[in-house]
């Protein structure tokens, strides 16, 4: 079981926030995921001039972790300079519900990292949309002739 404590994960999110690329909103967000094995994987928000392409810190961290092969998350910390800490947006809640359903969500204001608010993913997104993965879905290279 992961040993890292809440404040350490929040601090990792605060450090990751320094990597934010947010020239349009100037709202920098950092996120840190803790895996059951004790690994910490981080991310920060990245914005685009085509605003809708922006990716939140939570999703950058989650995509980093998933593509590194991680699947079992016990907590995610999110830090920004905002009263009470940043609440994950709807898109991030959906991704957390799919890939980190049991993770504790810890949010903190960068000016007071010790004051952490805790949520469950279920609280943040009750009745999440789910799709059962298809058992015989084709994988790259498994295409049948003529299909
Ligand atoms: N943002 C995050 O990274 N995470 C959140 O939880 C809320 C919003 C980012 C997206 C955008 O770059 C900026 O904050 C302002 O919306």
């Amino acid at each position: 079981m992961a040993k890292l404590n809440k404040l350490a994960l929040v601090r990792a999110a605060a450090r990751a926030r320094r990597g934010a690329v947010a020239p349009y909103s100037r709202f920098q967000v950092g996120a840190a995921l803790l895996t059951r094995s004790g690994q910490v994987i981080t991310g920060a928000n990245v914005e685009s001039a085509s605003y809708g392409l922006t990716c939140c810190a939570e999703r950058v961290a989650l995509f980093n972790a998933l593509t590194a092969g991680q699947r079992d998350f016990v907590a995610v910390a999110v830090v920004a300079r905002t009263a009470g800490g940043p609440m994950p947006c709807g898109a991030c809640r959906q991704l957390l519900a799919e890939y980190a359903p049991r993770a504790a969500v810890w949010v903190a204001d960068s000016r007071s990292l010790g004051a952490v608010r805790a949520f469950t993913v279920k609280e943040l997104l009750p009745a999440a949309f789910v799709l059962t993965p298809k058992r015989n879905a084709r994988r790259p290279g498994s295409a049948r002739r003529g299909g």
Side-chain angles (χ1 to χ4, degrees), residues 42-61:
T42 62
N45 55 327
V46 179
E47 297 182 346
S48 167
S50 178
Y51 295 173
L53 303 183
T54 290
C55 197
C56 294
E58 296 91 319
R59 271 176 289 154
V60 172

Side-chain angles (χ1 to χ4, degrees), residues 25-44:
S25 73
R26 306 256 172 117
F27 187 73
Q28 290 98 358
V29 187
L33 277 158
L34 176 63
T35 69
R36 190 162 300 280
S37 63
Q39 279 202 59
V40 174
I41 296 162
T42 62

